[in-house]
Amino acid sequence: MKLRSFIILFFLFSLASWGETAKKRKVEYVNPFIGASTNVKDAGAHHGLGKTIPGATSPFGIVQVSPNTITGGDNGSGYSDEHRSIEGFAFTQMSGIGWYGDLGNFLVMPTTGKLYTNSGRLDNPDAGYRSRYDKKSEYAEAGYYRVFLTDYQIKAEATVAQHCGFLKFTYPAHKQARIQIDLARRVGGTSTWQEVRVVDDRTITGKMVCTPDGGGWGNGSGKGDYTVYFYAQFSKPFKDYGVWSVSIPEGQSRKREFVESDAFQKLTSKAEIHRNVRQYAGKHIGFFTEFETQNQEEVLLKAGISFVSEDGARKNLEKEIPHWSFKQTLEENQDKWEKALSKITVETDDEDSKTIFYTALYRTMLDPRLYSDVDGRYVGGDKKIHEIKSFNKRTIFSGWDVFRSQMPLLTIIRPDVINDILNSLISLAEESGQNYLERWEFLNAYSGCMIGNPAISVLVDAYKKGIRDYDVEKAWRLADQTSKRFGNAPHGYVPNSVSETLEYAYTEWCMAEFAKALGKTEEERKYRELALSYKNIYDADHNSFCPKDEKGKFREWPENGRLTEGFGCVESNPFQQGWFVPHDVDGLVRLKGGRQQTIQDLDYMFDNTPSDFLWNQFYNHANEPVHHVPFLYNRLGEPWKTQYWSNYICRKAYKNGVKGLVGNEDVGQMSAWYVLASIGMHPICPGDTRIELTTPVFEEITLEVGPSRFFRIKVKKDSPASTYIQSARLDGKKYGRCYIDYSEVMRGGTLELVLGDKPNKKWGVR
């Protein structure tokens, strides 16, 4: 009897242990192919799809090793899923961006047979070193990518550490196998100067200089000006190696138009080959090493990357990948991702929803990326090398996009990153001599991309939430100078611009809040007045915001009225942009004729929105200006509509597939919106600690909000289709508000929601 009981207990224990072991890790839910297309035709809109990279990354790491299928055009990721050949694996990438893109440096390609020095084109891959690939072989997860290159019969695998990349190539038996590195390559153009030096029989080091003359960010208009340093080691010693060098004609443009041309392919195909040289420099060069391989022989390449120096690249590699174990690097990377993704745990039986969620959370942790080396050194805005230990220098601040969702999300799960980016922007403003906070920072460049003063939003939101590990007075001074430089004074609006007037009015409100907190009474008064500037461009005759000229006259009303994209608006129309008065919703309601008129107008927007949520003139989820709009119903006394629409958007605008994003990922913003909306919390007005509550996608959510401190959301449904909040309890007490304060979330606790199939029009109504 005892033996049988023991066997039963052992069986039950083993079954429980097996179930625990079989439970998938969070990293296994990440699908890097979600949104990995730039294709305009597939998107059904001129802004394309997600433009994400499918390659190997680490949390906020400086290096991303990803396949590249195209150079030039509006293909900022360098990759699009529908392309059927790969030109190489770059060690630096931008994910989810437009404006022609940048980085894509240190392009590595394994090849066999004839040495090609040009990439070839998508429509003629045989004319260069690119290779077709087996689509079925392509696989990616957090920190790992692999593919089979059919033209060369080579399996390529990639993983990374934060400052380093690691490639493993499995070759067929071949007398002339090779690894070649195009040092001139850049996603949106070309680097303009390169150097390479052979250190020993397995190591090379060098640099790639990228200036606006070579295109890149905004095809040069984004002022991208940086140098990438590398220190690369090969598992197979050099026996036959060399450099190819292209003679670039004097005065030849190096920007994307040239790089996209047949003339560029022809010119780069005629490079001079210099074998066994120990050192070389030029305007367009590459390095190669050739060797004989046995069938299924593995050849490895690992490289440290630095934006500081060759010595920095060496230190990065020696610190992070001192060994030759690809498996160890991958496991260490995925452990980092597992820890990062564990900031939020969601429970549901819907596996696709988990994949969409953890992929979205993963995407919010790519940028703002590290910019300093392992020793804390970085290149500042003055082009000098600085060393700092008090914070991590970060870069790629896509301000206009990310202040709405991504930065508020990070204030909950990664306040350290918020401190870092604010310190980085403050130090850049001083080092560069610009003395204002840039709106879209790229590797120290003041690119000026987009509009508004989003850094002020991030700053004030952080300050109001107690995230203050930076020089507050210095931050105030720079924010004040930023507002004075870009704002609604002296006209009380920005001539000919609805978007800028409304965006500046919001950050002028942020400045008023900041001034109040710091006891700056006169400055507060001034900014309170400017925060109301939005009222100055409201055209009562058309019940819409309308651009005014310098003399204060409304511009002529267009034939399509407020649905006219570009009429005083940036990537939007007056109907969409007109909802952006997050700091004074009550004032906006009064302008629009009252609560019922406002609700009617909001209903009209959603009723006319296409169910696929692709680019449109109503609720255009594919772009940022409307991202707060579904949550406005909470402020208008009809929170059940916020619950319906936020849930509907989560289900319809996000999919587990390449076409899973309806618009540009925008460096984490599109994904951050989903993360917040799907867990039932999203702000309308960063800088205000109020967070709107809505219906979660998941049955249970756990947020790690501090050391051993958690905020949990538990959902009870009448049925799987239940959408509407019927009642709520916070820490066991009845809770009747449709919002929660940031401080309530961060102190930890449990929010319990009961859902039903029909709206409860009494719950959450203020």
Side-chain angles (χ1 to χ4, degrees):
M1 187 69 178
K2 289 182 179 179
L3 179 61
R4 191 162 70 177
S5 298
F6 174 79
I7 292 171
I8 292 170
L9 286 171
F10 179 79
F11 173 76
L12 292 173
F13 176 78
S14 299
L15 190 64
S17 299
W18 178 86
E20 189 65 31
T21 303
K23 188 176 181 180
K24 288 172 69 173
R25 300 173 76 205
K26 293 176 176 65
V27 289
E28 296 179 76
Y29 284 105
V30 174
N31 176 8
F33 291 107
I34 291 177
S37 176
T38 68
N39 193 292
V40 172
K41 182 179 178 182
D42 283 352
H46 63 283
H47 282 72
L49 288 168
K51 302 183 181 179
T52 59
I53 61 169
T57 65
S58 63
F60 300 107
I62 205 169
V63 167
Q64 309 84 26
V65 179
S66 190
N68 280 238
T69 62
I70 191 167
T71 300
D74 191 9
N75 299 283
S77 63
Y79 175 94
S80 205
D81 178 78
E82 73 282 354
H83 297 159
R84 289 298 179 263
S85 62
I86 288 172
E87 62 183 56
F89 303 89
F91 275 51
T92 63
Q93 302 283 176
M94 296 176 80
S95 184
I97 53 95
W99 218 29
Y100 307 119
D102 212 319
L103 299 177
N105 314 110
F106 201 73
L107 186 78
V108 179
M109 188 63 177
T111 59
T112 58
K114 178 183 176 181
L115 171 64
Y116 287 93
T117 58
N118 63 305
S119 64
R121 299 173 67 96
L122 282 167
D123 57 0
N124 187 13
D126 294 323
Y129 55 68
R130 70 165 58 235
S131 172
R132 300 171 185 85
Y133 66 99
D134 177 4
K135 196 66 185 177
K136 292 180 180 178
S137 74
E138 195 177 30
Y139 174 81
E141 59 187 42
Y144 177 74
Y145 174 87
R146 74 166 178 259
V147 72
F148 188 72
L149 303 172
T150 53
D151 288 354
Y152 301 118
Q153 295 294 292
I154 296 171
K155 181 172 74 171
E157 298 173 85
T159 190
V160 296
Q162 287 202 300
H163 296 80
C164 309
F166 207 156
L167 287 166
K168 179 168 69 172
F169 301 126
T170 305
Y171 287 82
H174 207 286
K175 295 290 186 181
Q176 192 180 22
R178 178 185 306 106
I179 293 176
Q180 57 188 90
I181 307 169
D182 191 331
L183 298 173
R185 199 272 183 165
R186 185 181 183 186
V187 163
T190 181
S191 63
T192 52
W193 185 259
Q194 309 91 40
E195 297 177 9
V196 63
R197 176 169 56 89
V198 177
V199 177
D200 55 40
D201 69 348
R202 294 174 186 263
T203 309
I204 60 172
T205 188
K207 68 179 182 180
M208 299 159 286
V209 179
C210 298
T211 69
D213 291 338
W217 191 224
N219 200 25
S221 297
K223 308 179 185 68
D225 190 358
Y226 59 92
T227 299
V228 182
Y229 299 90
F230 61 89
Y231 186 86
Q233 294 185 315
F234 301 72
S235 63
K236 206 169 178 71
F238 304 148
K239 291 184 178 179
D240 188 2
Y241 65 90
V243 171
W244 75 83
S245 177
V246 178
S247 179
I248 303 295
E250 197 65 36
Q252 173 63 58
S253 169
R254 310 294 298 280
K255 295 187 177 182
R256 70 172 185 86
E257 293 86 355
F258 175 57
V259 173
E260 294 167 7
S261 70
D262 290 333
F264 176 80
Q265 289 294 322
K266 185 176 181 180
L267 180 66
T268 53
S269 70
K270 296 180 179 179
E272 295 181 356
I273 308 299
H274 306 275
R275 293 189 178 271
N276 299 315
V277 294
R278 305 285 299 182
Q279 191 166 337
Y280 205 90
K283 293 181 178 180
H284 191 113
I285 69 172
F287 176 85
F288 65 91
T289 175
E290 293 183 340
F291 38 79
E292 183 176 346
T293 53
Q294 305 300 314
N295 190 38
Q296 297 301 295
E297 181 176 350
E298 295 177 353
V299 181
L300 306 174
L301 180 155
K302 59 181 181 176
I305 296 294
S306 169
F307 289 91
V308 181
S309 65
E310 291 179 26
D311 192 52
R314 177 184 61 80
K315 289 178 180 177
N316 290 342
L317 184 63
E318 290 175 349
K319 174 71 173 179
E320 293 183 345
I321 314 181
H323 51 78
W324 281 102
S325 174
F326 184 92
K327 180 182 178 182
Q328 179 180 335
T329 301
L330 173 59
E331 289 176 348
E332 290 171 350
N333 183 343
Q334 293 197 326
D335 285 345
K336 284 187 173 69
W337 270 121
E338 186 69 16
K339 181 180 179 181
L341 295 171
S342 294
K343 289 291 182 179
I344 308 179
T345 299
V346 297
E347 298 296 340
T348 180
D349 293 332
D350 185 341
E351 293 291 281
D352 267 358
S353 289
K354 277 189 176 180
T355 295
I356 295 166
F357 178 84
Y358 284 114
T359 304
L361 185 59
Y362 157 87
R363 289 260 164 72
T364 69
M365 297 183 185
L366 299 184
D367 288 300
R369 70 189 63 179
L370 287 171
Y371 195 43
S372 48
D373 286 341
V374 293
D375 58 8
R377 284 158 44 103
Y378 69 91
V379 172
D382 52 6
K383 300 294 185 182
K384 297 178 182 178
I385 296 175
H386 300 259
E387 184 174 351
I388 196 159
K389 302 294 185 182
S390 59
F391 66 91
N392 293 307
K393 179 69 173 179
R394 295 185 183 274
T395 188
I396 304 189
F397 173 66
S398 175
W400 184 81
D401 307 300
V402 299
F403 83 84
R404 306 162 199 268
S405 303
Q406 190 196 10
M407 295 295 133
L409 170 64
L410 293 179
T411 66
I412 299 173
I413 62 172
R414 290 297 302 268
D416 60 309
V417 175
I418 297 295
N419 274 318
D420 283 348
I421 191 61
L422 288 172
N423 276 302
S424 298
L425 290 170
I426 290 166
S427 64
L428 173 61
E430 291 194 308
E431 293 161 359
S432 65
Q434 297 283 3
N435 290 309
Y436 70 91
L437 302 171
E438 170 57 359
R439 62 172 64 109
W440 216 119
E441 180 274 342
F442 170 71
L443 308 184
N444 284 329
Y446 273 63
S447 73
C449 184
M450 303 311 294
I451 61 169
N453 289 321
I456 291 175
S457 170
V458 178
L459 168 63
V460 177
D461 193 47
Y463 185 86
K464 292 280 289 289
K465 292 173 176 176
I467 301 169
R468 303 174 184 175
D469 194 11
Y470 43 85
D471 188 321
V472 173
E473 278 299 325
K474 188 180 291 184
W476 161 264
R477 176 177 58 81
L478 290 169
D480 188 41
Q481 290 171 183
T482 306
S483 271
K484 288 174 179 175
R485 184 172 184 144
F486 307 103
N488 281 313
H491 295 278
Y493 61 93
V494 176
N496 301 307
S497 181
V498 172
S499 291
E500 289 179 277
T501 300
L502 270 55
E503 295 269 358
Y504 290 140
Y506 158 64
T507 50
E508 285 158 348
W509 172 85
C510 290
M511 290 298 294
E513 291 290 293
F514 201 14
K516 179 181 179 180
L518 299 179
K520 299 180 184 293
T521 306
E522 181 56 31
E523 288 89 344
E524 181 191 355
R525 182 196 62 77
K526 178 189 72 174
Y527 280 118
R528 291 279 179 218
E529 291 178 2
L530 286 170
L532 300 177
S533 297
Y534 72 90
K535 296 181 179 181
N536 298 332
I537 60 165
Y538 196 80
D539 183 353
D541 290 341
H542 295 99
N543 201 27
S544 172
F545 289 102
C546 181
K548 277 184 177 178
D549 64 21
E550 293 85 350
K551 296 180 180 179
K553 182 181 178 181
F554 284 119
R555 283 174 50 185
E556 184 177 349
W557 196 244
E559 183 179 349
N560 291 328
R562 61 180 182 167
L563 298 181
T564 304
E565 186 172 336
F567 181 59
C569 295
V570 176
E571 296 186 4
S572 61
N573 58 42
F575 189 29
Q576 296 162 339
Q577 185 70 68
W579 295 105
F580 192 78
V581 189
H583 60 290
D584 190 13
V585 175
D586 289 343
L588 175 64
V589 169
R590 286 191 292 271
L591 277 183
K592 292 178 73 68
R595 176 174 166 272
Q596 287 305 318
Q597 178 63 38
T598 304
I599 291 173
Q600 184 179 336
D601 215 22
L602 205 52
D603 290 344
Y604 171 73
M605 169 173 265
F606 283 107
D607 289 345
N608 284 277
T609 298
S611 60
D612 60 12
F613 286 97
L614 293 176
W615 196 276
N616 67 90
Q617 302 309 309
F618 295 91
Y619 179 77
N620 186 28
H621 193 72
N623 209 21
E624 280 68 30
V626 297
H627 277 188
H628 69 295
V629 172
F631 308 97
L632 287 175
Y633 284 115
N634 272 12
R635 300 289 184 94
L636 296 170
E638 295 191 353
W640 60 91
K641 291 182 180 176
T642 283
Q643 296 155 31
Y644 174 81
W645 284 112
S646 65
N647 198 265
Y648 186 79
I649 296 164
C650 284
R651 288 187 288 110
K652 294 292 186 178
Y654 295 85
K655 303 291 183 184
N656 180 16
V658 170
K659 298 179 184 179
L661 294 175
V662 296
N664 195 328
E665 164 65 4
D666 282 324
V667 201
Q669 168 59 23
M670 191 73 76
S671 289
W673 188 97
Y674 180 85
V675 170
L676 287 170
S678 70
I679 65 173
M681 303 193 301
H682 198 286
I684 285 175
C685 182
D688 181 349
T689 56
R690 169 174 167 153
I691 302 171
E692 306 303 323
L693 292 177
T694 188
T695 301
V697 169
F698 307 100
E699 284 76 56
E700 187 166 340
I701 300 115
T702 302
L703 290 87
E704 182 183 329
V705 295
S708 301
R709 193 167 69 251
F710 303 92
F711 184 79
R712 293 181 173 87
I713 303 170
K714 296 184 177 181
V715 178
K716 182 180 179 182
K717 296 184 177 183
D718 287 347
S719 71
S722 294
T723 301
Y724 301 102
I725 298 174
Q726 305 297 302
S727 63
R729 302 184 76 85
L730 181 62
D731 295 332
K733 296 180 181 179
K734 187 176 180 181
Y735 193 80
R737 301 183 307 187
C738 64
Y739 60 93
I740 191 169
D741 192 78
Y742 173 83
S743 62
E744 293 176 292
V745 173
M746 298 307 287
R747 70 173 174 237
T750 301
L751 177 66
E752 298 170 273
L753 301 174
V754 176
L755 305 185
D757 295 337
K758 295 180 180 179
N760 177 355
K761 296 186 179 182
K762 293 182 179 180
W763 183 86
V765 178
R766 63 178 184 179

